[in-house]
Amino acid sequence: MAKIGRNDLCPCGSGLKYKRCCLRTKKAASPVSPMGRLKLSLVAEIERIRQAAADRVETVRELGVFILWSNTGGAAWLLEISDGDAVQVAEAGRELEVPIDENPETISINWSHTFSIRDGRFYLCSYEDRRETCLEDAPTRRIRASLKKIRRKFSEEQLRQVHLTDSEGDPVGK
């Protein structure tokens, strides 16, 4: 069982350090696993990016291998960089359901699109019908800068380990 450090993010998902949140109120009854902390952090970041979309604020945030972004039109997306997956979490300032399946050991997201950046433009390709769309209002330059930053942090081997496959070798969660 992992011990929560005073300077770690609080497992309640507030985004505050543990010492400034639940340690003070003794709400944190038991330590949370690293996967549990990532899940709490991811859900908290999704909520933050949805709020930015509702407020019509352009934002780009990073969390591990994830990039979350919103634009002034009220759209927000969650991106995963190792396979270039994407799923929309807000549209026109309204929250959309995030297809996250959780268990104690993994986080599985049912991605709806892949993304790419070509010629300075942000493209999405739907898994459903393979249709490609260019999002002109995506904060492409900031997303590209975040991609470079994350790829400097993680080796290719670490990025490959992000995705698991089933017994037939197909990606899990797609």
Side-chain angles (χ1 to χ4, degrees), residues 4-100:
I4 301 172
R6 290 174 41 80
N7 290 316
D8 290 343
L9 285 177
C10 189
C12 76
S14 67
L16 299 173
K17 289 184 178 183
Y18 179 61
K19 69 183 178 186
R20 301 251 185 249
C21 192
C22 290
L23 179 62
R24 288 183 174 179
T25 60
K26 303 291 183 192
K27 287 182 185 174
S30 63
V32 178
S33 71
M35 185 56 68
R37 274 195 298 271
L38 178 60
K39 168 78 171 91
L40 289 172
S41 297
L42 183 58
V43 170
E45 287 300 317
I46 290 170
E47 290 308 313
R48 284 187 192 98
I49 209 69
R50 283 176 167 163
Q51 186 59 53
D55 294 341
R56 310 296 176 140
V57 175
E58 182 179 294
T59 306
V60 176
R61 304 179 69 88
E62 301 164 18
L63 178 66
V65 297
F66 299 106
I67 296 174
L68 299 97
W69 65 266
S70 64
N71 65 20
T72 56
W77 287 80
L78 169 64
L79 312 177
E80 191 278 319
I81 73 159
S82 65
D83 273 355
D85 290 317
V87 66
Q88 191 168 14
V89 298
E91 181 177 31
R94 293 183 342 269
E95 291 184 12
L96 298 176
E97 183 179 340
V98 181
I100 297 178

Side-chain angles (χ1 to χ4, degrees), residues 91-126:
E91 181 177 31
R94 293 183 342 269
E95 291 184 12
L96 298 176
E97 183 179 340
V98 181
I100 297 178
D101 296 321
E102 59 181 294
N103 69 52
E105 298 301 317
T106 62
I107 297 171
S108 178
I109 300 170
N110 189 14
W111 303 103
S112 58
H113 295 77
T114 59
F115 76 93
S116 62
I117 297 176
R118 299 188 312 269
D119 301 323
R121 300 172 85 187
F122 186 87
Y123 292 91
L124 291 166
C125 182
S126 169

